[in-house]
Amino acid sequence: AQSVTQLDSHVSVSEGTPVLLRCNYSSSYSPSLFWYVQHPNKGLQLLLKYTSAATLVKGINGFEAEFKKSETSFHLTKPSAHMSDAAEYFCVVSDPPSGTYKYIFGTGTRLKVLA
Amino acid sequence: NAGVTQTPKFQVLKTGQSMTLQCAQDMNHEYMSWYRQDPGMGLRLIHYSVGAGITDQGEVPNGYNVSRSTTEDFPLRLLSAAPSQTSVYFCASSPGLWTGYTFGSGTRLTVV
């Protein structure tokens, strides 16, 4: 069965410093992986997705993630944090392409950006 | 440029009442889903649809019904509300299996 683990429930960084949000997954197949961001009292917005093309995926707002099959990881990074990056981030793994169309969400990482 | 529209944004129900959460999308997406979000638990799939007339259960379907008579609309019905259904509900749609979702802004439901 597919699963996803976000290793940190809370991360604090100073503005201008790098961001690292960690995600490990478990899948018997070649997964599709996503990162979503949720600002307070808002819906979720797709940041980036990996679907078996390039292992380094670039997303919106300067975020990127690297798919590492040997480590079963899909960590989200950004070189320099901005105050507007403060939000909750979700790592998502898809079920295999069996037509069941189910996404498994991690429990989220809340990013705090300090001035 | 509406995207996914959910109504209402807030709702308070008494235990045992029924109601329908509305979801509409104007992007002609085939795939639509309902999730609930609870603190510390991420999002959990309630029901999903891969096209008009086709629905299936997710991981937490009990107490909820759905139907999909048109591509645009995917309402979620609470049959007899219980306090355990207090949550934030999100509707989402996508054009394909692996393209990622567009989410609505959510409905915050409290059952007392």
Side-chain angles (χ1 to χ4, degrees), chain B residues 44-57:
Chain B
R44 292 180 292 168
L45 181 64
I46 305 172
H47 285 285
Y48 67 98
S49 170
V50 298
I54 306 169
T55 64
D56 205 347
Q57 296 181 348

Side-chain angles (χ1 to χ4, degrees), chain A residues 36 38 49 95 100-101 103, chain B residues 37 48 94 97-99 101:
Chain A
Y36 285 84
Q38 184 181 30
K49 62 184 178 186
D95 252 359
T100 58
Y101 189 57
Y103 290 78
Chain B
Q37 183 178 30
Y48 67 98
S94 75
L97 275 176
W98 318 119
T99 55
Y101 284 114

Side-chain angles (χ1 to χ4, degrees), chain B residues 16-98:
Chain B
Q17 287 185 316
S18 63
M19 80 160 294
T20 299
L21 307 185
Q22 301 291 345
C23 175
Q25 53 94 5
D26 61 357
M27 298 170 286
N28 201 33
H29 287 174
E30 289 295 323
Y31 302 93
M32 297 186 74
S33 299
W34 275 102
Y35 284 87
R36 59 178 290 172
Q37 183 178 30
D38 301 293
M41 301 186 74
L43 275 75
R44 292 180 292 168
L45 181 64
I46 305 172
H47 285 285
Y48 67 98
S49 170
V50 298
I54 306 169
T55 64
D56 205 347
Q57 296 181 348
E59 56 183 310
V60 288
N62 292 340
Y64 307 95
N65 273 355
V66 292
S67 61
R68 183 99 179 269
S69 56
T70 67
T71 299
E72 294 78 21
D73 299 302
F74 191 43
L76 178 72
R77 297 181 187 84
L78 279 70
L79 308 174
S80 177
S84 61
Q85 294 179 304
T86 293
S87 187
V88 181
Y89 291 84
F90 287 100
C91 179
S93 73
S94 75
L97 275 176
W98 318 119

Side-chain angles (χ1 to χ4, degrees), chain A residues 24-86:
Chain A
N24 286 353
Y25 69 92
S26 172
S27 176
S28 303
Y29 300 83
S30 296
S32 292
L33 293 155
F34 307 82
W35 276 98
Y36 285 84
V37 60
Q38 184 181 30
H39 289 93
N41 300 313
K42 299 289 187 184
L44 283 77
Q45 180 184 18
L46 179 65
L47 272 180
L48 51 80
K49 62 184 178 186
Y50 167 77
T51 54
S52 74
T55 56
L56 182 63
V57 183
K58 295 187 183 298
I60 61 172
N61 301 334
F63 285 94
E64 62 182 38
E66 186 170 8
F67 173 70
K68 293 187 176 180
K69 187 174 181 178
S70 60
E71 300 176 10
T72 61
S73 69
F74 190 58
H75 301 334
L76 182 70
T77 60
K78 183 174 182 178
S80 176
H82 191 273
M83 296 298 290
S84 61
D85 295 328

